[in-house]
Amino acid sequence: MGKSGGEQGDGEHTDRAHADGGGEAAAGVTRRRALWIGGGSVVAAGAAAFAARDELARWWWRLPGNDKPRAAGEVDFRGARWVAASPANYRRADRPADYPIDRVVIHVVQGSFATALRVFQDPDHEAAAHYVVRKDGYLAQTIRELDVAFHSGNRGYNERSIGIEHEGFVDRPESFTTAMYASSARLTAAICRRYGFPADREHIVGHVEVPGTDHTDPGPHWDWDSYLRLVRAELRRTARATEGPPERNA
């Protein structure tokens, strides 16, 4: 009962406030709220325009006749040697504008480094990976990362991934040398960093794990734990190099 009486008394004070100019204060609040809403609309419109511009940029590279700039013999990973695959073994694209990249697929040649390069240059082979790693760590790039390599046997995976071949045989553990692991890990770390996906077993997979494949590579002797440790260590190293040395107190 006392609460009800108090509410009635508060109503009287509210009426007086309006009579003394409180209505103007309320109007001011209303104007400020309108300005806030208007400002929010401007921000939202700006964000929408930015998103639309970004989407337009993506669609631009999907239109026939529009290709991202390319230079003959250019590589995506410093230190790799360019050895062009046959155009029959990949599809020209403008990734990641047309197809986002979020996978690395690990392959083993079942043969030599030279064999991989030779078959990738053969138009009848109908398959090739972006990179080939030799036992001593030497790297060749055969297809630009922009383009869709026919390497996994799965169209969706081809469009979203980078394929890395490794010299050797799945049933010979001596195929996988320290130099090969180190070189391949540096390459994979650079790909993870470039396209912004994590270095884990969801995003770095073996050919055997691609849906629908009949391949078994990289096989039981590929040391996934050591490989991922190397990739992550490389990512940490490059992150520290980018950040630079810590500041010293004066």
Side-chain angles (χ1 to χ4, degrees):
M1 293 294 292
K3 184 175 180 181
S4 297
E7 288 174 346
Q8 291 171 351
D10 288 342
E12 181 181 352
H13 288 298
T14 302
D15 290 341
R16 287 178 182 173
H18 279 289
D20 294 337
E24 292 181 7
V29 170
T30 303
R31 283 195 295 272
R32 285 197 297 274
R33 184 169 182 271
L35 287 171
W36 180 82
I37 293 172
S41 299
V42 170
V43 171
F50 181 82
R53 188 164 60 249
D54 183 62
E55 185 61 23
L56 179 62
R58 287 179 176 274
W59 274 104
W60 175 255
W61 303 117
R62 301 180 196 183
L63 297 175
N66 294 328
D67 283 331
K68 288 187 174 181
R70 300 160 188 259
E74 185 178 21
V75 296
D76 296 297
F77 183 73
R78 187 172 59 185
R81 177 170 65 98
W82 178 253
V83 184
S86 167
N89 296 330
Y90 67 91
R91 172 158 47 93
R92 197 172 175 92
D94 289 301
R95 302 190 307 169
D98 45 5
Y99 304 108
I101 296 171
D102 66 356
R103 293 287 190 280
V104 169
V105 179
I106 301 296
H107 302 263
V108 173
V109 176
Q110 288 298 92
S112 69
F113 179 83
T115 296
L117 296 183
R118 184 173 66 252
V119 298
F120 289 177
Q121 292 173 318
D122 179 0
D124 294 328
H125 187 61
E126 298 182 342
H130 294 90
Y131 294 94
V132 187
V133 187
R134 204 164 63 188
K135 286 183 181 180
D136 62 0
Y138 187 78
L139 273 166
Q141 182 171 2
T142 65
I143 298 169
R144 289 293 307 276
E145 292 178 11
L146 288 166
D147 296 324
V148 176
F150 303 153
H151 66 97
S152 76
N154 179 306
R155 183 187 178 106
Y157 266 70
N158 286 346
E159 290 172 345
R160 72 191 301 179
S161 67
I162 305 293
I164 306 176
E165 281 280 5
H166 297 81
E167 179 178 34
F169 298 85
V170 297
D171 58 348
R172 301 180 189 176
E174 65 273 16
S175 293
F176 310 128
T177 66
T178 300
M180 174 185 283
Y181 278 128
S183 179
S184 178
R186 285 192 294 272
L187 171 60
T188 294
I191 294 167
C192 291
R193 186 169 56 252
R194 184 156 42 248
Y195 300 107
F197 60 85
D200 58 28
R201 289 288 282 116
E202 179 182 350
H203 298 87
I204 304 172
V205 302
H207 193 181
V208 66
E209 297 168 291
V210 175
T213 187
D214 59 356
H215 286 245
T216 62
D217 54 315
H221 301 297
W222 181 266
D223 190 342
W224 280 109
D225 290 340
S226 294
Y227 186 68
L228 288 177
R229 279 197 297 271
L230 288 169
V231 174
R232 291 164 181 163
E234 181 65 20
L235 285 169
R236 289 193 296 271
R237 187 190 68 80
T238 52
R240 287 195 298 269
T242 302
E243 292 169 359
E247 294 183 3
R248 294 183 179 179
N249 294 327

